[in-house]
């Protein structure tokens, strides 16, 4: 790969234009640790990233300068001035200025020099603020004793800067002077509390004032065993005075209107128990109790450096029916994670019950069978008095499309309920669309399914009594998530969660945090540790993640070695889970063991750990040989019992001896096409790797047929049966067993939509989209496809459409990145590519004969795209 690029680089010499060259523009998209202007950064050397802007094509960064200052205008780099640094690096540049202090705001700007050595203007200022960097910065004490807590305090002068640092377990709602602080819900993220507790930082300056103030907190159970609060507000006032408001035994507590709350079962809220004014100064709390000082969880306090869970959308019901008298069913048309907001007016003490489900019975009533033990029921008891009452549960969420309302005083209307969509607020980064409608419908289900399951950890489902970070599910949809959402901060946190549960013996667990399943994890579940670490490197070029988790990933692999015998790993609990045809667990486990060893060797290569790289490469070789000796029939190329998954796994990782590859692949094709009438029989693992394997083998046509069919088993079958997210099973089941209708693990195919149909691929040789391989599959009856993705370096996009006798392709490459276009179909057609630089579209305009940008290597249909900005289009005739 590198050698070929070196060769292409030689022939890609930009032609000089006569016009004055356009100047570089100020960098945009400034981020710190993947976040925009974050509060609460607690890594000592945060990494800074920016997006290059340049109006000319073929541009890149040759040097940068960063200024960091306490002054918002950043007129000088008084905290850090890098000076002119000759480097093309524009992402994840480590801060190595003066040591950062706790609780300080740092402002920064950056400029860069382009290929001709011309400096850009400085970017607009961005900021990051440190959290509490030392354990001794925490002066507050953990308190508890009830679910509603308050404290009044007086500020002698006007606040000029105030920050609240809060950790409230399981969940908290922070209020100051009558206002809720922050737009999050269900905070903080669920972690292994004995190891780590996350705290959030809020700017509360505008909520405080000179004179009396009050702070109030409600606590929910969440995933914690006890309710506990640690809060510290630091206030700087005019005249240089400061004040600290800390949780301690001077706080007052009571059991408020929340009678009970549970993630699975719902909230019960008695509005008659409300204490109006409790979160404002002047409230009489004489009958409240003093707070109890408690030990609090043992874990270290870490800043929550990822997007919190928020309400991101509000849905209106599409239908409202009454299948029985007094039983009202609202259909929101979409399976979501969240709660409903109720509007109601009625007599004091009226008990309104809201139940949630994914399914209805044929008679239109609610089917909650597949929720198993989760009650998913919220109850609101009216305070009465003639006013309209608005209720929104605080410390629960449900996975649902349908809502049953009972006990409602009178007849509800469409406006009675609104569904509030909740999930970790990772931003969408682009999209995929294609001319085949079913693909858009599947993409819709994938995006909703993933979004619904990003609830501070990547969950398996959103509705029943699980919602766990099952690790196989997590790695199977990680790439699809990374292609649709801004995920690096979220997965950085999840990898740390994995590290937190790792045992001294290297074991990781089936679920993270560990509540369900086993320690050690099934090898296919534990694979999440090496694999998500690796994806972070591929998609974001995150080398620090490799450094941080290398030891852990290696320890997990070493643990597997202790469980292996002669290169075979036999233990397995789930294997290729929920398949149509079952594959031996030992085959699946040994494949995962091989991959883990292979990934350790790759990581070691990157981290220049040469001895380890050799050791683990040899280990991988040994496992591969043992795998083939044990499972491969050398006469037929068939592995084990010849299921599709048994063939897919070794083919996907090139484990098959070269001489047997075509038979092994042939056996897979035969199984799909002839034995199963062009259908897959794979479980969650085989399904993910089948699609890239078929594409790599030149059978995108077959992959496309599987992806677009609507007969069982397929994604289209789910869509045809009314799915709005993806199911857990290929089968359409609705009974009391394991059959969630919102399980994102089969959304692995979404990565193939981007990689193959839209053709967008990160090049692992130059990760983080520093180099991009555009390889769109112009397949069967697909007329066009398009994908776009906001990467850490800027926008990457690819779209294509068939034209009369040819193909029109548009790609977008961030400034500073390189790309390569591969369309093997063109090599097969008699249509040769046009000579270099001809037929270029830019900004929607056809520009004939613009020289020097594209160099076509006409044989095999390979084009190279120069480094550049903007959108390029090529047409073949
Ligand atoms: C979960 C899965 C998980 C599995 C383990 C199920 O109950 O919902 O998605 O991976 O257990 O086999």
């Amino acid at each position: 790969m590198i050698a070929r690029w070196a060769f292409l680089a030689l022939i890609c010499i930009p032609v000089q234009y006569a016009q004055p060259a356009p100047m570089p523009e100020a960098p945009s998209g400034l981020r710190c640790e993947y976040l925009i202007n974050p509060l609460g950064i607690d890594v000592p050397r945060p990494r800074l990233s920016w997006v290059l802007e340049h109006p000319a094509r073929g541009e890149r960064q040759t040097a940068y300068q960063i200024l960091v200052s306490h002054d918002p205008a950043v007129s000088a780099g008084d905290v850090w001035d890098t000076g002119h640094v000759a480097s093309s690096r524009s992402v994840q540049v480590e801060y190595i200025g003066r040591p950062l202090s706790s609780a300080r705001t740092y402002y920064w700007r950056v400029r860069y020099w382009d290929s001709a050595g011309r400096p850009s203007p400085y970017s607009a200022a961005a900021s990051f603020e440190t959290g509490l960097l030392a354990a001794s910065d925490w002066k507050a004490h953990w308190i508890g004793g009830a679910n509603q807590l308050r404290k009044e305090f007086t500020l002698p002068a006007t606040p000029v800067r105030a920050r609240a640092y809060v950790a409230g377990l399981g969940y908290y709602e922070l209020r100051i002077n009558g206002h809720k602080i922050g737009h999050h819900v269900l905070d903080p993220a669920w972690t292994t509390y004995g190891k780590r507790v996350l705290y959030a930082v809020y700017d509360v300056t505008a909520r405080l004032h000179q004179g009396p103030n009050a702070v109030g907190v409600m606590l929910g159970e969440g995933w914690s065993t006890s309710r506990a609060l640690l809060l510290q507000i630091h206030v700087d006032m005019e005249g240089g005075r400061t004040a600290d408001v800390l949780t301690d035994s001077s706080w007052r507590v009571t059991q408020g209107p929340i009678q009970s709350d549970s993630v699975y079962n719902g909230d019960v809220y008695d509005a008659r128990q409300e204490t109006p004014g409790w979160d404002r100064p002047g409230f009489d709390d004489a009958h409240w109790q003093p707070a109890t000082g408690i030990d609090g969880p043992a874990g270290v306090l870490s800043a929550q450096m990822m997007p919190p869970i928020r309400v991101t959308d509000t849905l209106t019901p599409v239908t409202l029916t009454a299948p029985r008298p007094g039983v009202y069913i609202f259909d929101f048309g979409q399976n979501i994670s969240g709660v409903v907001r109720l509007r109601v007016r009625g007599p004091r003490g009226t008990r309104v019950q809201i139940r949630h489900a994914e399914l209805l019975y044929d008679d239109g009533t609610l089917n909650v069978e597949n929720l198993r033990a989760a009650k998913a029921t919220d109850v609101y008891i009216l305070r009465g008095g003639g006013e309209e009452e608005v209720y929104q549960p605080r410390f629960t969420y449900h996975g649902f499309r349908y809502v049953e309302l009972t006990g409602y005083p009178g007849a509800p209307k469409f406006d009675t309920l609104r569904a509030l969509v909740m999930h970790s607020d990772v931003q969408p980064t682009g999209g995929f669309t294609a001319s085949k409608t079913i693909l858009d419908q599947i993409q819709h289900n994938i995006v909703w399914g993933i979004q619904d399951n990003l609830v501070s950890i990547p969950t398996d489902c959103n509705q029943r009594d699980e919602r766990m970070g099952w690790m196989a599910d997590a790695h199977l949809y990680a790439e699809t998530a990374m292609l649709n959402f801004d995920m690096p901060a979220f997965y950085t946190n999840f990898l740390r969660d994995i590290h937190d549960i790792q045992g001294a013996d290297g074991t990781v667990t089936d679920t993270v945090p560990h509540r369900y399943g086993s320690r050690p994890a099934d090898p296919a579940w534990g694979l999440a540790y090496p694999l998500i670490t690796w994806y972070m490197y591929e998609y974001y070029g995150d080398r620090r993640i490799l450094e941080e988790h290398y030891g852990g990933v290696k320890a997990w692999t070493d643990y597997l070695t202790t469980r292996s015998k002669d290169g075979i790993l036999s233990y397995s609990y789930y294997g290729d889970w929920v398949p149509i045809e079952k594959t031996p667990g030992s085959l699946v486990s040994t494949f995962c063991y091989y991959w883990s060893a292979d990934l350790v060797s790759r990581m070691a290569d990157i981290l220049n750990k040469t001895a380890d790289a050799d050791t683990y490469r040899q280990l991988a070789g040994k496992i591969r040989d043992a795998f083939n000796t044990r499972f491969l029939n050398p006469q037929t190329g068939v592995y084990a019992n010849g299921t599709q998954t048994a063939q897919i796994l070794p083919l996907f990782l090139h484990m098959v001896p070269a001489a047997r590859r075509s038979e092994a692949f042939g056996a897979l094709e035969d199984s799909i096409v002839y034995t199963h009438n062009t259908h897959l029989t794979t479980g969650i693992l085989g399904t993910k790797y089948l699609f890239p394997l078929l594409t790599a083998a030149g059978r995108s046509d077959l992959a496309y047929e599987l992806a677009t069919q609507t007969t069982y088993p397929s994604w289209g079958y789910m869509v045809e049966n009314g799915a709005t997210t993806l199911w857990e099973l290929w089968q359409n089941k609705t009974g009391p067993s394991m059959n969630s209708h919102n399980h994102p693990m089969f959304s692995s195919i979404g990565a193939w939509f981007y990689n193959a149909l839209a053709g967008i691929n990160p090049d692992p040789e130059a990760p983080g989209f520093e180099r991009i391989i555009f390889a769109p599959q112009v397949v069967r009856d697909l007329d066009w496809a398009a994908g776009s993705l906001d990467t850490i370096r800027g926008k990457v996009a690819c779209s294509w459409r068939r034209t009369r006798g040819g193909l029109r392709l548009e790609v977008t490459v961030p400034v500073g990145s390189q790309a390569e276009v591969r369309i093997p179909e063109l090599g097969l057609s008699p249509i040769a590519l046009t000579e270099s630089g001809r037929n270029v579209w830019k900004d929607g305009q056809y520009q004939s004969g613009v020289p020097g940008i594209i160099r076509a290597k006409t044989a095999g249909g390979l084009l190279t795209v120069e480094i550049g900005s903007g959108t390029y289009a090529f047409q073949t005739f």
Side-chain angles (χ1 to χ4, degrees):
M1 173 63 69
I2 288 167
R4 193 174 71 222
W5 268 102
F7 165 70
L8 291 173
L10 284 178
I11 60 165
C12 289
I13 299 158
V15 170
Q16 300 300 315
Y17 292 90
Q19 306 98 312
M23 293 295 285
E25 292 170 1
S28 65
L30 275 61
R31 288 178 183 241
C32 172
E33 289 297 317
Y34 296 118
L35 302 167
I36 298 169
N37 300 334
L39 296 185
I41 288 291
D42 67 356
V43 292
R45 288 173 307 162
R47 295 164 302 170
L48 307 176
S49 304
W50 55 92
V51 173
L52 303 173
E53 303 286 353
H54 205 302
R57 281 180 292 213
E59 270 303 344
R60 65 203 161 91
Q61 172 183 294
T62 55
Y64 65 79
Q65 182 173 16
I66 299 170
L67 304 179
V68 181
S69 171
H70 289 305
D71 164 22
V74 202
S75 30
D78 48 315
V79 175
W80 190 38
D81 181 345
T82 63
H84 174 281
V85 179
S87 166
S88 61
R89 176 169 279 270
S90 57
V91 300
Q92 293 156 3
V93 174
E94 264 191 0
Y95 172 88
I96 46 166
R98 294 220 309 265
L100 300 173
S101 324
S102 274
R104 289 294 301 266
T105 312
Y106 296 83
Y107 299 90
W108 65 288
R109 291 170 182 262
V110 60
R111 64 172 170 166
Y112 78 101
W113 284 261
D114 71 2
S115 59
R118 294 165 304 191
S120 76
Y122 273 106
S123 67
S127 66
F128 64 91
E129 185 172 313
T130 45
L132 301 181
L133 301 180
S136 56
D137 293 331
W138 285 96
K139 310 271 186 259
H141 299 280
W142 284 99
I143 57 169
N147 64 7
Q148 202 167 298
L149 308 88
R150 75 183 301 275
K151 164 88 183 169
E152 286 193 29
F153 55 96
T154 301
L155 294 176
T158 302
V160 290
R161 183 182 192 272
R163 295 290 185 269
Y165 304 85
V166 57
L169 299 184
Y171 295 138
Y172 68 88
E173 180 174 307
L174 172 62
R175 308 183 67 84
I176 293 181
N177 293 331
H179 297 278
K180 178 177 182 318
I181 303 300
H183 299 292
H184 55 275
V185 292
L186 307 179
D187 206 61
W190 180 19
T191 51
T192 303
Y193 302 128
K195 282 284 171 106
R196 186 180 309 279
V197 176
L198 300 185
Y199 67 90
V201 183
Y202 299 105
D203 179 352
V204 295
T205 318
R207 291 290 172 220
L208 295 172
H209 40 250
Q210 183 177 11
N213 292 271
V215 54
V217 175
M218 289 172 121
L219 292 177
E221 184 179 275
W223 298 105
S224 175
T225 43
S226 62
R227 292 171 169 80
L229 175 67
L230 183 73
L231 170 70
Q232 184 157 320
I233 302 177
H234 184 81
V235 192
D236 294 322
M237 287 166 281
E238 279 176 358
R241 278 194 277 184
T242 65
D244 282 326
V245 180
L246 311 173
T247 42
D248 58 23
S249 55
S250 70
W251 282 56
R252 309 286 290 171
V253 304
T254 194
Q255 204 60 38
I258 298 179
Q259 304 301 293
S260 64
D261 61 274
S262 143
V263 173
Y264 292 150
N265 298 326
D267 288 5
V268 176
Y269 187 95
D270 187 345
R272 294 170 303 183
Q273 306 300 320
E274 283 176 345
T275 50
W278 72 283
D279 53 358
R280 294 175 188 275
F283 176 82
D284 177 9
D285 60 17
H287 57 292
W288 289 31
Q289 284 76 48
T292 325
I294 55 175
D295 281 344
V300 296
L301 287 154
S302 290
Q304 182 164 287
M305 294 195 294
M306 67 166 170
I309 300 167
R310 293 196 180 100
V311 174
T312 62
D313 204 353
T314 304
L315 304 185
T316 308
V318 274
T319 62
L320 165 54
T321 54
R324 298 211 179 116
V327 177
Y328 298 95
I329 299 289
F330 293 75
D331 175 3
F332 287 93
Q334 175 62 49
N335 192 319
I336 67 161
S337 290
V339 296
V340 294
R341 185 189 293 139
L342 165 75
R343 291 181 178 279
V344 61
R345 199 188 300 263
R348 184 173 175 82
T350 309
R351 194 173 189 279
V352 177
Q353 177 174 285
I354 308 162
R355 293 200 305 155
H356 306 74
E358 299 186 302
L359 302 165
L360 294 181
Y361 291 112
D362 288 345
D363 67 359
T365 58
L366 206 67
N367 176 350
V368 296
E369 292 181 41
N370 71 344
L371 305 187
R372 303 195 309 211
K375 293 198 174 55
T377 303
D378 296 322
V379 171
Y380 180 72
I381 301 166
L382 274 69
R383 77 177 83 88
E387 296 281 296
E388 184 181 65
E389 301 177 36
V390 179
Y391 166 64
Q392 176 181 325
R394 276 188 178 74
F395 298 132
T396 190
Y397 78 95
H398 314 290
F400 66 98
R401 168 176 170 173
Y402 303 100
V403 168
E404 178 206 80
L405 185 68
T406 52
Y408 188 83
K413 303 190 292 282
F414 275 76
D415 280 346
T416 300
L417 296 185
R418 285 286 179 273
L420 309 180
V421 175
M422 295 173 174
H423 53 88
S424 289
D425 192 12
V426 290
Q427 294 301 302
T429 45
F432 164 81
T433 180
S435 59
K436 189 92 170 168
T437 312
I438 191 76
L439 291 172
D440 281 359
Q441 289 168 325
I442 297 168
Q443 169 71 6
H444 168 102
N445 291 16
I446 286 173
V447 168
W448 272 97
I450 290 180
Q451 174 179 284
D452 288 344
N453 279 283
L454 300 174
V455 186
S456 94
I457 56 164
T459 64
D460 60 328
C461 61
N462 67 341
Q463 71 300 88
R464 68 176 179 224
D465 51 356
E466 287 203 59
R467 314 186 207 177
M468 294 286 130
W470 282 98
M471 295 256 276
D473 311 49
H475 71 75
L476 289 166
Y477 71 85
E479 282 191 279
T480 311
M482 289 176 176
L483 288 160
N484 285 287
F485 296 100
D486 184 21
M487 296 304 297
F490 182 95
Y491 283 124
T492 300
N493 184 74
F494 188 60
L495 284 169
R496 193 168 63 175
D497 288 342
I498 298 175
H499 190 67
D500 280 346
I501 55 81
Q502 187 164 35
D505 59 354
T507 53
V508 295
T509 49
D510 277 340
T511 56
V512 171
H514 186 208
R515 189 174 276 221
Y516 276 33
S518 300
R519 174 188 295 275
D522 180 298
W525 270 243
L527 185 60
Y529 197 14
L531 215 41
I532 297 178
T533 304
W534 184 251
Y535 294 150
M536 282 294 295
Y537 179 71
E538 269 192 357
Y539 282 82
Y540 308 105
D542 195 326
R543 194 186 149 102
R544 183 186 282 178
I545 283 276
L546 293 191
E547 284 164 3
E548 283 177 358
H549 294 287
Y550 178 75
V553 166
K554 191 168 112 169
W556 167 241
T557 309
D558 291 347
Y559 172 77
L560 295 180
T561 298
T562 69
R563 297 292 304 270
S564 69
K565 192 158 182 299
D566 302 328
I568 298 293
L569 186 62
S570 304
Y571 93 89
S572 164
Y573 321 131
Y574 323 111
D576 184 35
W577 187 239
V578 293
I580 311 273
E581 282 188 322
K582 191 160 170 41
T583 302
S586 56
L587 183 150
V588 176
S589 288
T590 306
F591 161 84
C592 295
Y593 176 34
Y594 167 78
W595 204 355
S596 301
D598 175 63
L599 287 168
V600 175
S601 76
R602 285 165 196 257
M603 292 178 197
D605 274 336
I606 293 159
L607 300 176
N608 301 318
K609 296 176 188 292
T610 326
D612 271 13
D614 285 347
T615 307
Y616 287 86
R617 201 167 293 119
Q618 278 169 26
L619 174 62
K622 187 181 132 201
I623 302 167
R624 183 192 53 225
D625 292 347
F627 184 93
N628 287 325
T629 307
R630 170 69 65 92
F631 300 110
L632 173 64
N633 178 332
Q635 268 75 53
T636 58
V638 169
Y639 280 86
N641 59 349
T643 60
Q644 292 172 15
T645 293
Q647 302 301 108
I648 291 165
L649 300 184
L651 281 162
F652 174 69
L653 286 190
H654 305 282
M655 296 167 75
V656 184
R660 293 287 156 265
R661 198 169 161 88
S662 82
E663 280 103 326
F665 189 76
L668 171 64
E669 279 177 310
D670 284 355
S671 169
I672 297 172
V673 177
Y674 301 115
T675 317
H676 296 283
N677 189 25
T678 312
H679 283 89
L680 46 72
T681 64
T682 43
I684 54 176
L685 292 161
T687 301
K688 170 153 169 117
Y689 308 116
L690 170 61
F691 287 81
L693 170 66
L694 289 175
T695 290
R699 292 302 314 268
S700 287
D701 60 320
L702 183 53
Y704 177 75
E705 194 164 339
L706 296 170
T708 53
Q709 65 192 180
T710 53
T711 43
Y712 167 82
S714 67
W715 290 266
Y717 176 74
M718 299 183 196
V719 170
E720 296 269 300
N721 282 282
T724 59
T725 45
L726 299 184
W727 300 338
E728 177 173 25
L729 304 176
W730 293 119
Q731 296 84 0
N732 184 9
K733 290 191 179 167
T734 57
S737 56
M738 189 192 94
N739 63 82
S740 135
H741 284 235
N742 191 348
H743 239 71
M745 56 200 186
F746 281 127
S747 68
S748 55
I749 195 173
W752 183 78
F753 291 175
Y754 279 84
N755 299 153
L757 298 182
I760 298 172
N761 295 275
D763 181 346
E765 301 288 331
F769 293 92
E770 188 173 358
R771 209 147 58 208
I772 305 144
I773 298 168
F774 291 114
Q777 305 296 304
V778 181
V779 75
R780 293 242 168 132
D781 64 346
L782 199 61
D783 287 328
W784 54 265
S788 98
L789 175 63
D790 291 325
T791 74
I792 183 146
R793 287 189 162 74
K795 191 184 205 59
V796 172
C798 182
S799 66
W800 59 267
R801 92 169 41 244
R802 293 175 198 268
T803 58
R804 220 174 301 138
L807 179 82
R808 187 181 191 281
L809 172 73
E810 281 195 28
V811 297
T812 303
V813 183
V815 180
S817 290
Q818 294 180 319
E820 173 184 312
V821 178
R822 295 178 191 169
I823 310 177
E825 286 74 11
L826 300 182
L828 301 174
S829 88
I831 306 154
L833 288 172
T834 52
E835 64 180 353
S836 66
R838 294 270 301 278
N839 309 316
V840 174
W841 277 257
K842 180 162 164 49
D843 302 330
Q845 294 263 312
Y846 176 73
Q847 301 175 24
S848 182
V850 175
I853 302 304
I854 308 159
R855 301 288 173 181
K857 202 179 155 200
T858 49
L862 180 72
L863 290 87
T864 65
V865 184
E866 270 262 317
I867 311 160
S869 60
T871 300
Y872 306 100
F874 321 107
Q875 187 153 6
T876 61
F877 297 97

